[in-house]
Amino acid sequence: MEDIMVYFGEFAGTMILIVLGNGVVANVVLAKTKGNNSGWIVIAIGWGLAVAMAVCITGWISGAHLNPAVTIALAVTGAGGASMSLMTVFLYVSSQLAGAIAGSCLVYLN
């Protein structure tokens, strides 16, 4: 049961990251939004807050890798003193990709 929560944490954290990050970009770029042409500083702050929120919400569950590159780097280097099996890396990355797809679909639907 604990393993399922770890993977759900990665899914939810990545989804939150993409919804908030891509949501702020959509707000700045799309023509009929209130934040249209707000500029790069709004995007930068929005993405920074998106990362902070995702890490704060799911960090205690899964370690908040939230990115396949982070998961693979931690698995290869063995950072943090924990070695990850190939199957664990695969499940982490799969959860992150599913969360990213779900988050992108939510931004698109909105």
Side-chain angles (χ1 to χ4, degrees):
M1 183 66 176
E2 182 178 318
D3 289 337
I4 293 172
M5 288 304 295
V6 168
Y7 304 125
F8 178 74
E10 285 296 315
F11 172 86
T14 306
M15 185 178 70
I16 291 166
L17 174 70
I18 296 299
V19 165
L20 296 176
N22 286 357
V24 75
V25 172
N27 187 34
V28 170
V29 172
L30 295 176
K32 295 181 181 179
T33 60
K34 294 193 185 255
N36 186 22
N37 290 326
S38 297
W40 65 269
I41 194 72
V42 173
I43 293 174
I45 291 172
W47 267 103
L49 291 173
V51 171
M53 292 283 232
V55 169
C56 287
I57 291 170
T58 63
W60 62 277
I61 298 172
S62 65
H65 296 185
L66 305 180
N67 186 334
V70 173
T71 301
I72 293 169
L74 289 174
V76 169
T77 62
S83 61
M84 298 173 71
S85 69
L86 190 57
M87 184 56 140
T88 303
V89 172
F90 173 75
L91 292 173
Y92 262 74
V93 170
S94 298
S95 300
Q96 293 159 357
L97 289 175
I101 290 168
S104 295
C105 288
L106 287 173
V107 171
Y108 175 78
L109 290 174
N110 189 22

